[in-house]
């Protein structure tokens, strides 16, 4: 997903809108008539939802490395996503932006993915409220059978 991001720059070619007050303070008052500060919009993939997803992928890769029975297919898939984000130039999200972020304006698939990524990055468990705000694939574990198996092996 890409979106337009506002960028203010003092370097590079003139494009977008010239910021007269900033240019006057930084350049023109010092005799640098050939330079100007500008503001423009740039279409980029380095936006908070993608940063959140990249950070979650990196976090999962770090965690899965220490598992004795890691699934190679899951590791390969996470590695492919990590490469995709690297090619797009997406950086990791700042920890201060994770908590309390609102993703309601995103399309449904991105909203669900960023909410799940937020849970992963905050090392939080999944709560199953009656209304259900986070949808996850589920599975059942027969704890009685697990406990019996544990007792047999001990």
């Amino acid at each position: 997903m890409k979106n337009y991001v506002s960028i203010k720059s003092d370097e590079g070619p003139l494009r977008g809108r010239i910021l007269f007050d900033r240019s006057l303070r930084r350049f023109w008052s010092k005799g640098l008539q050939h330079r100007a500060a500008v503001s423009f919009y740039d279409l980029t993939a380095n936006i908070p939802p993608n940063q959140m997803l990249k950070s979650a992928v990196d976090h999962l890769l770090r965690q899965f490395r220490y598992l004795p029975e890691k699934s190679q297919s899951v590791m390969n898939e996470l590695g492919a996503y990590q490469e995709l984000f690297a090619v797009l130039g997406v950086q990791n999200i700042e920890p201060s932006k994770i908590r309390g972020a609102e993703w309601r304006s995103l399309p449904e698939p991105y909203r669900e993915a960023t909410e799940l990524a937020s849970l992963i990055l905050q090392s939080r468990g999944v709560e199953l409220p009656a209304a259900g705000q986070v949808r996850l694939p589920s599975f059942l574990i027969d704890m009685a059978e697990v406990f019996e198996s544990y007792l047999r092996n001990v």
Side-chain angles (χ1 to χ4, degrees):
M1 182 167 131
K2 291 185 177 184
N3 204 353
Y4 286 96
V5 176
S6 176
I7 297 176
K8 293 181 181 179
S9 174
D10 294 337
E11 300 178 8
L14 290 179
R15 66 186 218 184
R17 192 176 81 175
I18 294 177
L19 303 173
F20 287 99
D21 59 336
R22 190 169 171 175
S23 296
L24 182 62
R25 277 186 275 128
R26 298 194 89 197
F27 304 118
W28 301 339
S29 63
K30 298 175 184 170
L32 300 171
Q33 303 297 325
H34 62 282
R35 298 198 52 197
V38 296
S39 172
F40 58 93
Y41 287 94
D42 191 24
L43 183 64
T44 180
N46 192 25
I47 57 175
N50 288 344
Q51 293 171 351
M52 178 83 77
L53 295 173
K54 180 185 186 300
S55 297
V57 166
D58 291 347
H59 180 78
L60 288 173
L61 278 170
R62 281 192 306 273
Q63 297 299 318
F64 284 167
R65 281 196 185 108
Y66 300 110
L67 291 177
E69 298 177 11
K70 55 189 166 207
S71 168
Q72 197 58 41
S73 63
V74 171
M75 293 295 287
N76 290 341
E77 197 166 335
L78 286 172
Y81 282 118
Q82 190 177 39
E83 289 176 19
L84 174 67
F85 286 125
V87 167
L88 293 174
V90 177
Q91 301 169 350
N92 286 335
I93 194 164
E94 298 173 22
S96 61
K97 292 183 179 179
I98 294 171
R99 250 203 165 99
E102 291 292 329
W103 311 109
R104 291 193 176 110
S105 62
L106 292 173
E108 186 69 25
Y110 283 100
R111 184 172 51 242
E112 292 175 0
T114 53
E115 287 173 354
L116 182 58
S118 174
L119 292 174
I120 291 169
L121 291 172
Q122 294 178 45
S123 298
R124 295 177 64 188
V126 178
E127 182 180 332
L128 301 174
Q133 294 180 359
V134 178
R135 296 185 188 129
L136 298 172
S138 60
F139 61 93
L140 298 175
I141 299 175
D142 185 356
M143 292 306 291
E145 186 176 321
V146 171
F147 183 68
E148 288 172 11
S149 175
Y150 170 75
L151 289 177
R152 277 188 236 120
N153 292 325
V154 173

